[in-house]
Amino acid sequence: MNLDADTLLPAVTSLVRDELRRLRGDAGAAVDATTWDASTTLGGDTIGADSIERLTMATAVAERFGLHELDAGDYLLRKHSLGEWAGLAAQGIQQAGGMTFRSSGTTGEPKPHRHSLADLEQEVFHLANLFPGTRRVVSLVPAHHIYGFLFGVLLPRELGCPVHHDQGGGGLPPADLDHGDLVVGFPLRWRQLATLYPAFPAGVTGVTSTAPCPPALARDLEQRGLERFVAIYGATETAGIGYREGPDAPFRLFEHWESDGLYLYRRRRTGLGEAVTPPDHLEFHGTRHFIPAGRRDGAVQVAGVNVHPDQVAEKLRARPGVAEAAVHLDRSEEPRLAGWIVPDPDTDPEELKATLQTWIREHLTPPERPVQLTLAEDIPRGPLGKPAVGQPA
């Protein structure tokens, strides 16, 4: 697959936008890439990146598209527009033969995971067969994440169809949504669409990934007229592993994966790859169908970001006035963290709660923040002494 600058521009734009938002902290929320195009300059009035920001963004682009493997990362600093950066990205991914994606997470440094271009193309070939008749891809996910790259960059190329990218981050599809559109989102975005769209046009297909989609939401979307609603199971480490249609159905392995019930093996032209441990415990029904049964590392997903409740609880325990804390995932509506707090005996409970809520807003990222704090005399525990608050994660 020949990937040129025009094809990769959405992914480069998305990566630059997210890096700039991260670097600028609270002010980063104002960064809007809606009007950015190939001629937009990094240091011009539209982006206005300073030398430190340009260096950081160049490093991210070099790693993502393989330029660092070619010792060509500094070439980006000699170019000034997004189009020129996309051109270098095209050279990098073709010559290096792969890309590096970073796993989402709020604790620790997200880990890099390299995928060969051949593996990505193999998956997209199967995705194209899964979505025949697609006339346009409408991507509401960042194009530089592996899910957004597969569906928003490579899949339209494979299908030979146009693509609409939500570069502004507002999360809404175009007003002319129509028959043959494939809308790519994630559970939080789909919940937003279910609120705003009483009915979808006939012939629209939806795709979701990055986090488990609540069954009630999937049924609601189908009742609102989606022709198909397909959930993709995978991770940054593995890319897509399986898919399912219908919230009660098990996932089916993509054709390029095999399993012995414990490990996964990728089928390549050269034979089976090395054993891969999936991020979740998988309960297999036969050799091709499975149901995820909880993360191996204890992480939960909030808005598509991996969060570790135990590590959040540890941070709360370190706050003055807190004798004990436990954090769990509340799935009653849109999944968010919730916390139980045991105050020190000589601490005013309500004052502590207000102080903690302020600290949480100032020091934790949105996915990490417990949106509900329950004060208690003790943490409920199960037979083995582990916290038994909320629903099992």
Side-chain angles (χ1 to χ4, degrees):
M1 183 181 294
N2 182 28
L3 301 177
D4 56 20
D6 289 341
T7 303
L8 294 180
L9 180 61
V12 172
T13 299
S14 177
L15 179 55
V16 167
R17 179 198 64 196
D18 274 20
E19 283 294 307
L20 203 57
R21 286 178 174 175
R22 180 183 64 82
L23 290 168
R24 292 182 178 177
D26 292 340
V31 177
D32 184 356
T34 305
T35 62
W36 296 3
D37 58 24
S39 66
T40 301
T41 57
L42 282 302
D45 293 337
T46 303
I47 297 181
D50 61 29
S51 60
I52 296 176
E53 291 171 337
R54 286 195 62 185
L55 178 60
T56 304
M57 293 186 297
T59 301
V61 171
E63 179 194 52
R64 187 62 47 100
F65 297 98
L67 289 166
H68 68 302
E69 299 178 30
L70 308 173
D71 293 326
D74 59 335
Y75 289 1
L76 290 162
L77 296 176
R78 305 174 193 175
K79 303 296 182 180
H80 304 287
S81 70
L82 289 174
E84 290 173 318
W85 278 26
L88 287 172
Q91 295 178 36
I93 190 174
Q94 295 291 352
Q95 294 180 31
M99 293 180 64
T100 297
F101 297 92
R102 285 187 171 267
S103 55
S104 64
T106 61
T107 50
E109 187 70 19
K111 296 180 180 179
H113 302 280
R114 191 184 189 281
H115 293 267
S116 71
L117 185 56
D119 280 356
L120 298 177
E121 290 174 342
Q122 180 188 46
E123 179 169 340
V124 167
F125 174 80
H126 293 301
L127 290 176
N129 292 330
L130 187 60
F131 300 104
T134 298
R135 299 174 59 185
R136 178 177 63 169
V137 174
V138 177
S139 180
L140 306 181
V141 298
H144 67 285
H145 292 177
I146 190 166
Y147 173 43
F149 190 81
L150 285 164
F151 275 86
V153 177
L154 296 187
L155 182 59
R157 187 79 170 184
E158 179 72 20
L159 293 171
C161 70
V163 57
H164 168 88
H165 288 280
D166 174 36
Q167 291 291 18
L172 295 180
D176 63 345
L177 200 63
D178 202 358
H179 187 281
D181 281 342
L182 176 66
V183 182
V184 183
F186 50 93
L188 182 61
R189 190 66 75 223
W190 281 113
R191 188 178 295 280
Q192 179 187 14
L193 296 183
T195 302
L196 297 176
Y197 278 75
F200 289 94
V204 173
T205 295
V207 181
T208 188
S209 192
T210 74
C213 184
L217 175 58
R219 296 188 187 98
D220 185 24
L221 291 165
E222 291 176 342
Q223 291 173 0
R224 291 172 188 269
L226 282 183
E227 184 173 275
R228 299 170 64 199
F229 189 60
V230 181
I232 304 295
Y233 174 78
T236 305
E237 300 94 316
T238 60
I241 293 173
Y243 67 95
R244 71 178 177 188
E245 295 190 47
D248 301 315
F251 286 90
R252 178 181 176 85
L253 285 174
F254 282 120
E255 294 303 315
H256 53 278
W257 285 106
E258 293 186 8
S259 175
D260 59 7
L262 180 61
Y263 298 106
L264 298 172
Y265 302 87
R266 186 165 193 138
R267 185 188 298 122
R268 298 184 174 94
R269 285 177 295 180
T270 55
L272 290 182
E274 67 278 2
V276 175
T277 302
D280 294 275
H281 297 282
L282 303 181
E283 295 180 355
F284 269 86
H285 301 263
T287 59
R288 305 296 302 171
H289 296 85
F290 66 91
I291 296 175
R295 296 271 304 194
R296 295 177 183 273
D297 59 3
V300 298
Q301 291 186 318
V302 178
V305 177
N306 294 333
V307 182
H308 293 263
D310 289 348
Q311 296 181 18
V312 176
E314 186 177 348
K315 294 178 181 179
L316 294 177
R317 288 189 207 101
R319 303 308 304 155
V322 176
E324 183 58 283
V327 175
H328 67 96
L329 183 68
D330 184 353
R331 293 189 177 95
S332 57
E333 294 185 8
E334 182 61 35
R336 295 296 299 270
L337 295 187
W340 286 61
I341 301 296
V342 178
D344 283 334
D346 57 349
T347 299
D348 180 88
E350 293 302 324
E351 183 177 336
L352 174 63
K353 184 175 182 178
T355 300
L356 287 176
Q357 288 172 332
T358 299
W359 183 87
I360 287 170
R361 287 193 300 271
E362 293 177 350
H363 294 87
L364 299 181
T365 64
E368 287 181 299
R369 295 171 187 165
V371 295
Q372 177 181 333
L373 292 180
T374 299
L375 299 174
E377 294 183 357
D378 197 5
I379 301 294
R381 297 183 183 276
L384 299 180
K386 295 182 178 181
V389 294
Q391 302 180 31

